[in-house]
Amino acid sequence: MRALRSALLALALLMPVAAGAVQPEEVMKDPSLEKRARAISSGLRCLVCQNQSIDDSDAPLARDLRLIVRERLRQGDDDDAVLHYVVQRYGEFVLLRPVVAWHTALLWLTPVLVVGLGGLALAAAARRRKAPAPKALSAAEEEAVADLMRRAEPR
């Protein structure tokens, strides 16, 4: 039983923990507004780190963006209005998940095109790689096979 507890404790300590960078003074008093702020922040990219949400980044710019999100929510903006405000101010790059639009079509279609072209290349390679047709036996080889067959016949 003790070994099981030790194993569970070790497993729990090895589990990744969300490192949220939100400071205690940033947390809103209203839990529903804080939940909305966290949901919005998790979808916004830190422009300094570029691969983290502003919710997870310690960069000063990420903190400023978190404060902007919370201020807009306090002013009564809905979630879409807050996102629209941030995108208007910082551009679409601030979104961790890019919008689906004509100007981002290449971004969304490139993986499909790469997989499709890879599949076509594999199919073409498989078609070219067919086993060659067996060559016909020469007269001498046919005679040798016939001789072997005659020897193998039961007497």
Side-chain angles (χ1 to χ4, degrees), residues 11-145:
L11 185 62
L13 291 174
L14 293 175
M15 291 285 226
V17 178
V22 177
Q23 301 300 313
E25 65 270 8
E26 295 176 36
V27 177
M28 301 174 83
K29 291 184 182 7
D30 183 353
S32 65
L33 283 180
E34 179 61 24
K35 185 177 179 182
R36 287 175 53 203
R38 291 288 178 111
I40 294 169
S41 296
S42 67
L44 295 174
R45 178 189 320 271
C46 172
L47 298 172
V48 176
C49 307
Q50 294 189 4
N51 208 17
Q52 282 184 317
S53 72
I54 63 172
D55 217 21
D56 297 329
S57 174
D58 285 329
L61 181 60
R63 182 180 191 283
D64 293 345
L65 283 169
R66 288 192 304 266
L67 292 174
I68 288 171
V69 166
R70 284 165 171 74
E71 182 59 34
R72 299 298 294 191
L73 288 173
R74 272 190 210 98
Q75 291 175 3
D77 286 359
D78 64 0
D79 296 3
D80 290 335
V82 173
L83 280 175
H84 180 74
Y85 176 81
V86 174
V87 168
Q88 288 298 313
R89 195 162 184 192
Y90 295 96
E92 285 184 3
F93 183 72
V94 78
L95 299 174
L96 275 173
R97 185 175 177 91
V99 295
V100 179
W102 284 110
H103 65 280
T104 60
L106 187 61
L107 175 71
W108 288 102
L109 294 177
T110 298
V112 174
L113 291 173
V114 168
V115 169
L117 290 174
L120 289 174
L122 287 174
R127 213 172 314 138
R128 272 186 269 137
R129 223 173 163 201
K130 286 185 180 173
K135 295 179 184 176
L137 297 175
S138 67
E141 292 170 329
E142 284 184 26
E143 183 60 39
V145 169

